[in-house]
Amino acid sequence: MPPRYRYEQIADDLAGRISSGEFPPGSKLPSRRELIEHYGVTEPVIDRAMQVLWIKGMTETLPGVGVFVAE
């Protein structure tokens, strides 16, 4: 199996946490700053992971408010 980018690992981890119900539909995900601290990565890595979740239809973003789990 080829090595995976860190953003892919983070997106998969967050997707698993959403699927398990840790973050139920309609709930707000942790802030970008909290995710940066939790995963020990830079802002662009978190932004890319969030983009993956959005493309998969798992999240919705409200600018200036946050990222929420899609209903």
Side-chain angles (χ1 to χ4, degrees):
M1 184 174 197
R4 300 179 64 226
Y5 288 109
R6 188 70 175 118
Y7 76 87
E8 293 174 313
Q9 295 169 350
I10 293 168
D12 285 349
D13 182 58
L14 288 169
R17 293 167 74 184
I18 290 168
S19 296
S20 75
E22 183 178 342
F23 298 117
S27 66
K28 185 175 180 181
L29 293 181
S31 70
R32 179 185 287 151
R33 184 177 311 267
E34 290 168 327
L35 292 171
I36 288 168
E37 290 176 14
H38 177 77
Y39 290 106
V41 295
T42 60
E43 193 170 309
V45 175
I46 294 299
D47 290 346
R48 190 87 182 262
M50 291 292 107
Q51 184 179 32
V52 169
L53 294 175
W54 179 79
I55 289 169
K56 289 182 177 181
M58 298 185 81
T59 60
E60 298 173 356
T61 302
L62 293 174
V65 179
V67 178
F68 295 83
V69 177
E71 294 286 346

